[in-house]
């Protein structure tokens, strides 16, 4: 599977990559699916998210959407959520992962690539409850013996 | 040997001799073996495939052909005489395949019975579901933006025996038909009938 184009998060005035798809539960519930325009975007959309603060509570909002109804026809946020210019992701409980810094290792799969840091934000029903950063290291090169026996190549 | 011949000569049913009875007995097995031999013959590698195999040094030798011939002969004899056993085996196999097909076609729900918490009244669930958003972006409907999923879930609860249960799947717990680990806490409601989960509506997930 090809590495996937990330979602975007506006955080601290900057737009950063977001390696989580908070919209997926909404789409599943509403029975909506989009057309994949290419192999780096199997989900068929890219959402831009923003954390907005009100009375000391930070909430996650979807503020922009670019979704492929067909290969040519692209829907925006107001097409999917008529009458809304932002959408509170109250269904989202879990962790947002935002990669930061240099790419330490490219992985040709989903959001598998490893970066220097991950900014991790925990949400409960769309409300930010905790955030922290994780320092990643270059993964150790795997040797033949690190794999289970059934995955080894055997005599060459 | 003479005892055997004497015994066989004495065997008779409906005026048929032992060899005629044996021939009748082997008819289904021989037919079955012939059917499969014919199928094998029709599925033999094409001229092109044989050429490719020869090119990569995998052309069959005379010995290979002789081994194949004896294997097919022994298999045909086994089927001709042991066809009742093969028939029983085929019935078991088809039943096993049918059971697997049913399992494969079962809908895949994340919730498992061990994650059910308590039976819930849909009205109470709706009252507790309204979302507070100071920016006023969320529609004032039960479960906000997930209302369509809720409506579909309720519309599917038609049987009088259907019960609605709340559920909570803790992060890392095994869930779904394929027992994948949940990537975050998951909450929602399940449609339960006679202890079996027949539907689910997830309200929180990552």
């Amino acid at each position: 599977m090809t590495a996937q184009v990330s979602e975007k998060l506006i955080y601290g005035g900057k737009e950063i990559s977001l390696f989580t798809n908070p919209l997926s539960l909404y789409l599943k519930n509403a029975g909506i699916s989009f057309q994949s325009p290419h192999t780096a975007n199997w989900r068929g959309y890219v959402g831009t998210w923003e954390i907005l603060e009100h009375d000391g509570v930070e909430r996650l909002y979807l503020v922009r959407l670019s979704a492929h109804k067909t290969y040519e026809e692209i829907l925006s946020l107001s097409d999917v959520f008529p009458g809304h210019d932002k959408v509170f992701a109250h269904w989202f409980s879990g962790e947002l992962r935002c990669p930061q810094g240099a790419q330490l290792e490219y992985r040709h799969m989903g959001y598998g690539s490893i970066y220097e840091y991950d900014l991790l934000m925990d949400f409960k029903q769309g409300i930010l409850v905790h955030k922290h950063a994780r320092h990643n290291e270059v993964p150790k090169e795997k040797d033949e013996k690190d794999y289970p026996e059934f995955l080894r190549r055997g005599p060459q | 040997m003479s005892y055997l011949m004497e015994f066989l000569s004495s065997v008779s049913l409906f005026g048929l001799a032992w060899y005629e009875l044996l021939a009748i007995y082997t008819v289904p097995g021989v037919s079955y073996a012939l059917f499969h031999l014919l199928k094998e013959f029709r599925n033999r590698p094409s001229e092109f495939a044989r050429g490719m195999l020869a090119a990569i040094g995998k052309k069959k030798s005379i010995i290979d052909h002789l081994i194949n011939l004896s294997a097919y002969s022994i298999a045909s004899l086994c089927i001709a005489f042991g066809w009742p056993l093969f028939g029983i085996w085929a019935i078991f196999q088809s039943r096993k395949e049918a059971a697997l097909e049913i399992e494969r076609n079962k809908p895949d729900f994340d919730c498992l019975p061990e994650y059910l918490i308590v039976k819930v009244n849909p009205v109470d669930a709706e009252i507790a579901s309204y979302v507070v958003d100071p920016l006023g972006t969320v529609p004032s409907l039960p479960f906000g933006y997930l209302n369509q999923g809720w409506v579909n879930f309720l519309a599917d609860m038609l049987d009088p025996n259907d019960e609605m249960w709340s559920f909570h799947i803790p992060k890392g717990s095994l869930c779904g038909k394929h027992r994948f680990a949940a990537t975050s806490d998951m909450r929602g409601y399940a449609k339960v009938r006679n202890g079996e989960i027949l539907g689910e509506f997830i309200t929180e997930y990552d």
Side-chain angles (χ1 to χ4, degrees), chain A:
Chain A
M1 187 179 166
T2 315
Q4 295 297 292
V5 61
S6 72
E7 295 280 283
K8 295 166 189 169
L9 176 70
I10 300 168
Y11 186 66
K14 278 202 305 185
E15 195 172 278
I16 56 175
S17 296
L18 172 60
F19 276 10
T20 312
N21 301 327
L23 195 56
S24 54
L25 178 59
Y26 169 78
L27 296 176
K28 187 184 166 192
N29 260 306
I32 299 173
S33 60
F34 299 114
Q35 186 92 40
S36 166
H38 46 77
T39 58
N41 187 358
W42 287 120
R43 64 189 186 281
Y45 66 89
V46 175
T48 304
W49 302 80
E50 189 167 5
I51 296 169
L52 298 173
E53 189 260 329
H54 189 273
D55 285 343
V57 179
E58 292 179 294
R59 290 178 172 84
L60 180 67
Y61 288 85
L62 176 67
V63 292
R64 275 201 302 274
L65 185 66
S66 170
H68 286 261
K69 186 179 177 188
T70 61
Y71 185 78
E72 294 87 7
E73 192 181 351
I74 297 172
L75 303 177
S76 68
L77 183 73
S78 57
D79 295 319
V80 180
F81 297 93
H84 292 90
D85 61 350
K86 56 174 83 69
V87 170
F88 174 38
H90 61 80
W91 61 83
F92 183 76
S93 285
E95 189 179 74
L96 289 189
R97 177 183 158 222
C98 303
Q100 303 277 290
Q103 190 182 70
L104 302 179
E105 186 179 270
Y106 170 74
R107 286 191 185 161
H108 196 62
M109 191 185 75
Y111 293 146
S113 295
I114 297 170
Y115 290 76
E116 271 184 291
Y117 292 93
D118 280 326
L119 176 59
L120 302 168
M121 291 181 251
D122 291 324
F123 284 82
K124 176 80 186 150
Q125 295 183 332
I127 294 172
L128 181 64
V129 289
H130 180 66
K131 63 184 171 193
H132 66 284
R134 179 176 62 201
H135 180 238
N136 298 317
E137 287 176 2
V138 182
K140 189 177 142 262
E141 191 94 1
K142 274 196 173 178
D143 201 30
E144 191 83 16
K145 64 179 168 32
D146 295 325
Y147 291 95
E149 202 160 338
F150 72 96
L151 283 176
R152 291 180 200 165
R153 278 172 293 193
Q156 295 295 297

